[in-house]
């Protein structure tokens, strides 16, 4: 696999002559790019055709990759959503902060006001900043969200100028949109209540009304029923504010296009936070049945459509050559994540994690090695890179790209890999990487060069074989793998390389303690 292809210089000198003698004026300074980060949810490395998928096609993602850089060693920082999103925004590993595991429906804001984030840094550089889509980082003060009042603190208190959100994740209640500080279309006469216990003895749930469900649950997702699908948690009221699952992707595209159009004459940063392909997978009717993989495959095609629609908007507004687009996922794949939607039964020869083992919830490579693409037309030379890059690095890297100084003691785990992201020749990216699961069990992966150390404090690993139902597997506390020889992490070589293992254990412990290895 080749190193990053050469970087084509972004500066084009313009020689201008006055009408009074042809004096040469200074060269124009190129503008910093607009920035769009597109983050899929639960999309595996092998789920896109540019990474080898053949059971379905993702033409828009493929085109993005063909016009930019496709990274083979691109990662997210955790194998579940909330910690990856926390680390992406703050530039700090989530395991350093308590309460950064998968957020509950009524979770308060996890990122506190005053925290420097990728949005606040870009805002200081003069960018209009917006987030559209899944949030799942909590809203409100210690008591949690005031669903019928102002939902603050939230994105607007940590650097975003505007937001249009799915407040949690769609398998958790409530199924409403949040625009800036309010639930959209909420009728005060029908207040919204959200809780973790049934509001009444006879309240219908996925257990009591299981036979009526459009999509049966396999584990855990058996609380309030909305749109014929039961969820985690309970809520009542807010009926005029509730959305249809099938309409989510269209709404994200609509609101993202509005943001781009509103800010087309200034620099902007858009975080497009897709819900596809997270459960419950209920794509719009026009995508249902488009693949042989069931609704999971159909949602991948729907996500690819979203990517294409955003790229069409950039083309229509003549912004493609002024916009850096970064495509990632928040973690690796999972098939049965609580609903019987046919994902396992219809998987066939498709391998969602590609050649890698594991997926969501796992510190095997499949849990955090994800599709990762950068494109900036006319500025990034198309190619393939094996530079090591991670979503946690986007804070430092984007600040560097736009020339924004980083204050001291912020985004401390974020490494400036901007040269790799922009395709500068021979850039290696970061030199090491920590991978975490949800952060509750002390499970970590530690990659340094070709070596990968796994630490399993509990002696168990989850979702090791993605194509089977979720289960735990007994594993040694420590395992060592040579990723060059064994990318699928099938051969534990810790006994053959005790000195390497000992050094990597020490390095990992130092990093967790906040020191440099």
């Amino acid at each position: 696999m080749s190193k990053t292809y050469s970087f084509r210089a972004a500066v084009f000198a313009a020689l201008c002559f006055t009408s009074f003698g042809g004096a040469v004026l200074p060269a124009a300074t190129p503008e910093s790019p607009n920035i769009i980060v597109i983050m899929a949810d639960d999309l595996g490395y092998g789920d896109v055709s540019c990474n080898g998928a053949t059971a379905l096609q993702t033409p828009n993602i493929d085109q993005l990759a063909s016009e930019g850089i496709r990274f083979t060693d691109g990662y997210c920082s955790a194998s579940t959503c909330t910690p990856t999103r926390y680390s992406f925004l703050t530039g700090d590993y989530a395991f350093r902060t308590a309460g950064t595991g998968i957020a509950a429906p009524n979770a308060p804001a996890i990122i506190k006001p005053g925290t420097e984030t990728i949005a606040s840094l870009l805002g200081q550089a003069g960018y209009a900043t917006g987030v559209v889509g899944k949030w799942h980082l909590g809203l409100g003060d210690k008591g949690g969200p005031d669903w019928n009042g102002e939902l603050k603190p939230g994105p607007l208190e940590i650097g975003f100028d505007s937001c249009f959100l799915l407040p949690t994740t769609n398998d958790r209640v409530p199924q409403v949109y949040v625009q800036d500080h309010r639930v959209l279309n909420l009728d005060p006469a029908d207040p919204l209540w959200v809780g973790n216990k049934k509001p009444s003895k006879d309240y219908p749930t996925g257990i009591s009304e299981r036979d009526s469900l459009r999509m049966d649950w396999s584990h855990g997702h058996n609380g309030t029923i909305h749109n014929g699908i039961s969820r985690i948690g309970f809520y009542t009221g807010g009926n005029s504010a509730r959305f249809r699952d099938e309409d989510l992707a269209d709404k994200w595209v609509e609101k993202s296009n509005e943001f781009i159009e509103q800010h087309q004459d200034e620099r902007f940063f858009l975080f497009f936070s897709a819900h596809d392909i997270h459960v419950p997978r209920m794509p719009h009717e026009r995508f249902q049945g488009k693949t042989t993989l069931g609704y999971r495959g159909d949602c991948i095609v729907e996500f690819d459509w979203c990517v294409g629609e955003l790229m069409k908007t950039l083309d229509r507004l003549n912004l493609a050559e002024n916009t850096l687009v970064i495509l990632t996922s928040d973690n690796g794949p999972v098939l049965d994540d609580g609903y019987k939607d046919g994902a396992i039964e219809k998987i066939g020869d498709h391998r969602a994690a590609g050649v890698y083992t594991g997926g969501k919830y796992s510190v095997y490579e499949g849990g955090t090695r994800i599709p990762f693409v950068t494109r900036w037309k006319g500025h990034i030379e198309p190619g393939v890179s094996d530079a090591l890059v991670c979503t946690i690095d986007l804070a430092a890297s984007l600040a560097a790209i736009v020339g924004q100084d980083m204050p001291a003691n912020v985004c401390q785990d974020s490494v400036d890999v901007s040269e790799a992201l922009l395709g500068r020749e021979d850039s290696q990216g970061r030199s090491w990487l920590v991978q975490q699961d949800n952060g509750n069990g002390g499970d970590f992966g530690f990659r340094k060069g070709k070596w990968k150390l796994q630490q399993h404090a509990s002696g168990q690993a989850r979702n090791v074989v993605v194509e089977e139902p979720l289960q735990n597997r007994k594993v040694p506390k420590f395992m060592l793998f040579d990723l060059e020889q064994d990318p699928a992490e099938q051969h534990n070589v810790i006994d053959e390389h005790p000195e390497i293992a000992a050094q990597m254990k020490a390095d990992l412990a130092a990093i967790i303690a906040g020191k440099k290895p």
Side-chain angles (χ1 to χ4, degrees), residues 186-249:
L186 185 62
D187 181 357
D190 182 27
L192 181 62
W193 172 86
V194 179
N196 57 9
K197 293 183 179 180
K198 286 200 304 182
S200 65
K201 190 174 182 180
D202 59 351
Y203 183 82
T205 69
I207 296 176
S208 64
E209 305 293 327
R210 191 168 188 173
D211 290 343
S212 71
L213 298 177
R214 301 170 64 197
M215 180 184 291
D216 196 10
W217 52 273
S218 57
H219 55 271
H221 297 69
N222 49 30
T224 287
I225 300 171
H226 168 75
N227 197 25
I229 304 169
S230 53
R231 323 280 168 149
I232 296 172
F234 304 92
Y235 74 118
T236 61
N239 286 281
S240 62
R242 301 189 185 194
F243 58 68
R244 221 174 59 112
D245 301 74
E246 293 90 336
D247 298 327
L248 277 177

Side-chain angles (χ1 to χ4, degrees), residues 373-451:
V373 174
T374 61
R375 188 198 77 170
W376 183 7
K377 277 190 170 183
H379 299 266
I380 290 177
E381 188 75 24
V384 178
S385 172
D386 60 1
L388 184 59
V389 297
C390 181
T391 53
I392 199 172
D393 299 325
L394 292 179
S397 302
L398 294 181
I401 288 171
V402 305
Q404 176 62 36
D405 292 335
M406 293 279 287
N409 301 318
V410 304
C411 305
Q412 295 190 70
D413 296 308
S414 188
V415 175
D416 178 6
V417 295
S418 56
E419 290 193 350
L421 298 180
L422 296 177
R424 203 174 291 276
E425 189 173 4
D426 296 328
S427 175
Q428 303 298 308
R430 58 160 54 234
S431 58
W432 53 265
L433 177 70
V434 173
Q435 304 149 286
Q436 70 167 90
D437 58 0
N438 197 39
N440 299 323
D443 291 355
F444 294 96
F446 178 45
R447 169 142 184 223
K448 194 171 185 180
K450 71 174 186 174
W451 298 105

Side-chain angles (χ1 to χ4, degrees), residues 501-512:
Q503 184 61 59
M504 293 192 72
K505 289 178 187 179
D507 288 347
L508 176 59
I511 294 167
I512 293 172

